[in-house]
Coordinates of all heavy atoms in Angstrom, one line a residue:
D1612 N 3.4 2.1 -15.3 CA 4.1 2.2 -16.6 C 4.7 3.7 -16.6 O 4.1 4.6 -17.2 CB 3.2 2.0 -17.8 CG 4.0 2.0 -19.1 OD1 5.2 2.1 -19.1 OD2 3.3 1.8 -20.1
V1613 N 5.7 4.0 -16.0 CA 6.2 5.3 -15.8 C 6.7 5.9 -17.2 O 6.5 7.1 -17.5 CB 7.5 5.3 -14.8 CG1 8.1 6.7 -14.8 CG2 7.0 4.9 -13.4
D1614 N 7.4 5.1 -18.0 CA 7.9 5.6 -19.2 C 7.1 5.4 -20.5 O 7.5 5.6 -21.6 CB 9.3 5.0 -19.5 CG 9.3 3.5 -19.5 OD1 8.3 2.9 -19.4 OD2 10.4 2.9 -19.5
A1615 N 5.8 4.9 -20.2 CA 4.8 4.8 -21.3 C 5.3 3.9 -22.4 O 5.0 4.2 -23.6 CB 4.4 6.1 -21.8
D1616 N 6.0 2.8 -22.1 CA 6.5 1.9 -23.2 C 5.7 0.7 -23.3 O 6.0 -0.3 -24.0 CB 8.0 1.5 -22.9 CG 8.2 0.7 -21.7 OD1 7.3 0.6 -20.8 OD2 9.4 0.2 -21.5
G1617 N 4.6 0.6 -22.5 CA 3.7 -0.6 -22.6 C 4.1 -1.6 -21.6 O 3.4 -2.6 -21.5
R1618 N 5.2 -1.5 -20.8 CA 5.5 -2.4 -19.7 C 5.5 -1.8 -18.4 O 5.8 -0.6 -18.2 CB 7.0 -2.9 -20.0 CG 7.1 -3.7 -21.4 CD 8.4 -4.4 -21.4 NE 9.6 -3.5 -21.4 CZ 10.2 -3.1 -22.5 NH1 9.8 -3.5 -23.6 NH2 11.2 -2.3 -22.4
M1619 N 5.1 -2.6 -17.4 CA 5.1 -2.0 -16.1 C 6.5 -1.9 -15.4 O 7.3 -2.8 -15.6 CB 4.3 -3.1 -15.2 CG 2.8 -2.9 -15.3 SD 2.2 -1.3 -14.6 CE 0.5 -1.4 -14.9
D1620 N 6.6 -0.8 -14.8 CA 7.8 -0.5 -14.0 C 7.5 -0.5 -12.6 O 6.4 -0.7 -12.1 CB 8.3 0.9 -14.4 CG 8.3 1.1 -16.0 OD1 9.0 0.2 -16.6 OD2 7.8 2.0 -16.4
L1621 N 8.5 -0.4 -11.7 CA 8.3 -0.4 -10.3 C 8.8 0.9 -9.7 O 9.9 1.3 -10.0 CB 8.9 -1.6 -9.6 CG 8.3 -3.0 -9.8 CD1 9.1 -4.1 -9.2 CD2 6.8 -2.9 -9.2
V1622 N 8.0 1.5 -8.8 CA 8.4 2.8 -8.2 C 8.5 2.5 -6.7 O 7.5 2.0 -6.1 CB 7.4 3.9 -8.4 CG1 7.8 5.2 -7.7 CG2 7.2 4.1 -9.9
A1623 N 9.6 2.8 -6.1 CA 9.9 2.5 -4.7 C 9.9 3.8 -3.9 O 10.7 4.7 -4.3 CB 11.2 1.7 -4.4
Q1624 N 9.2 3.9 -2.9 CA 9.3 5.1 -1.9 C 10.3 4.8 -0.9 O 9.9 4.0 0.0 CB 7.9 5.4 -1.4 CG 7.9 6.6 -0.4 CD 6.7 6.7 0.5 OE1 5.7 6.2 0.2 NE2 6.9 7.3 1.7
G1625 N 11.4 5.5 -0.9 CA 12.4 5.3 0.2 C 12.4 6.3 1.1 O 11.4 7.1 1.3
D1626 N 13.4 6.4 2.0 CA 13.4 7.4 3.1 C 14.1 8.7 2.6 O 14.0 9.7 3.3 CB 14.2 6.9 4.3 CG 15.6 6.4 4.0 OD1 15.8 5.3 3.6 OD2 16.5 7.2 4.2
K1627 N 14.7 8.7 1.4 CA 15.3 9.9 0.8 C 14.8 10.3 -0.5 O 14.9 11.5 -0.9 CB 16.8 9.7 0.7 CG 17.5 9.6 2.1 CD 19.0 9.5 1.9 CE 19.8 9.3 3.3 NZ 21.2 9.2 3.1
R1628 N 14.3 9.3 -1.3 CA 13.9 9.6 -2.7 C 13.0 8.5 -3.2 O 12.8 7.4 -2.5 CB 15.1 9.7 -3.5 CG 15.8 8.3 -3.7 CD 17.1 8.4 -4.6 NE 18.1 9.2 -3.9 CZ 18.9 8.7 -3.0 NH1 18.9 7.4 -2.7 NH2 19.8 9.5 -2.4
F1629 N 12.5 8.7 -4.4 CA 11.9 7.6 -5.2 C 13.0 6.9 -5.9 O 13.9 7.6 -6.5 CB 10.8 8.1 -6.1 CG 9.5 8.6 -5.5 CD1 9.4 10.0 -5.3 CD2 8.6 7.8 -5.0 CE1 8.3 10.5 -4.7 CE2 7.5 8.3 -4.4 CZ 7.3 9.7 -4.2
T1630 N 12.9 5.6 -6.0 CA 13.8 4.8 -6.9 C 12.9 4.1 -7.9 O 11.9 3.5 -7.5 CB 14.6 3.8 -6.1 OG1 15.4 4.5 -5.1 CG2 15.6 3.0 -6.9

Side-chain angles (χ1 to χ4, degrees):
D1612 186 2
V1613 174
D1614 54 5
D1616 67 349
R1618 295 193 296 264
M1619 278 291 177
D1620 314 304
L1621 288 173
V1622 182
Q1624 177 197 337
D1626 56 277
K1627 294 181 179 179
R1628 69 182 67 87
F1629 290 101
T1630 299

